[in-house]
Amino acid sequence: MNNNVIVDKFYGINKDNSTSKQIVAILLRIKCDNYNYAVIEASAFPSDLQKFYLNTMVVPVFFRKKGLSKKLLLKLQKIAEEEKIKIICEANPYGDGDDMNLSQLKSLFKKFGFSENPDGSDNLILDCSNNDSINKN
């Protein structure tokens, strides 16, 4: 297993069809074997390109408990800090019986700077737009 995080940043297109400097999606991957990847994906809100929604975080069952989520979340945190963006995560556990429950999932995200949403929703927020609220690991 290669523990290097593969980073793909996807940029928007300007009206003149040139590539903008604005990131619209982030895909982070760690190759687990010839067939499996651990993955995090976040996409920008079309109405606010400084606000991203964490859509996916998946670690294949046979590769869990090896620190892959930690590596991916640390890299996502670093990118959020560099780009000065806000990432919103709706913690939503699903899968087989070995997966984390909601409380465990929220606890994991909080270790990487996510905090409860002040609006009272179940969403967690990593706000690096001002770089004021980051917890260093």
Side-chain angles (χ1 to χ4, degrees):
M1 176 171 44
N2 179 349
N3 276 336
N4 294 330
V5 177
I6 303 164
V7 178
D8 293 309
K9 295 179 184 177
F10 299 90
Y11 295 87
I13 302 294
N14 294 319
K15 290 181 181 178
D16 66 359
N17 287 330
S18 63
T19 303
S20 80
K21 294 182 183 207
Q22 180 60 51
I23 296 173
V24 296
I26 301 164
L27 176 64
L28 306 177
R29 300 172 287 149
I30 297 174
K31 187 172 184 175
C32 299
D33 63 17
N34 288 336
Y35 307 101
N36 295 286
Y37 286 87
V39 176
I40 282 186
E41 187 270 326
S43 302
F45 281 75
S47 61
D48 184 352
L49 295 177
Q50 291 304 111
K51 188 186 296 183
F52 282 66
Y53 188 79
L54 196 151
N55 298 304
T56 305
M57 185 173 89
V58 176
V59 176
V61 173
F62 298 117
F63 299 96
R64 294 181 184 163
K65 308 276 187 220
K66 298 182 186 306
L68 300 179
S69 292
K70 179 179 181 176
K71 280 193 110 159
L72 290 169
L73 286 165
L74 283 170
K75 188 63 150 181
L76 182 65
Q77 182 185 48
K78 182 178 179 190
I79 291 170
E81 290 171 355
E82 292 170 353
E83 301 294 334
K84 295 183 174 36
I85 59 176
K86 181 185 291 189
I87 299 176
I88 297 172
C89 171
E90 181 181 341
N92 186 9
Y94 63 91
D96 59 36
D98 293 333
D99 290 333
M100 294 181 175
N101 63 36
L102 181 59
S103 176
Q104 293 168 320
L105 196 56
K106 283 185 170 188
S107 178
L108 173 69
F109 283 111
K110 286 178 181 179
K111 289 178 185 176
F112 297 94
F114 284 83
S115 59
E116 298 286 338
N117 193 335
D119 72 3
S121 70
D122 284 336
N123 295 343
L124 299 171
I125 296 175
L126 174 64
D127 189 353
C128 297
S129 55
N130 296 320
N131 283 349
D132 292 338
S133 62
I134 300 304
N135 299 324
K136 299 295 180 194
N137 293 310

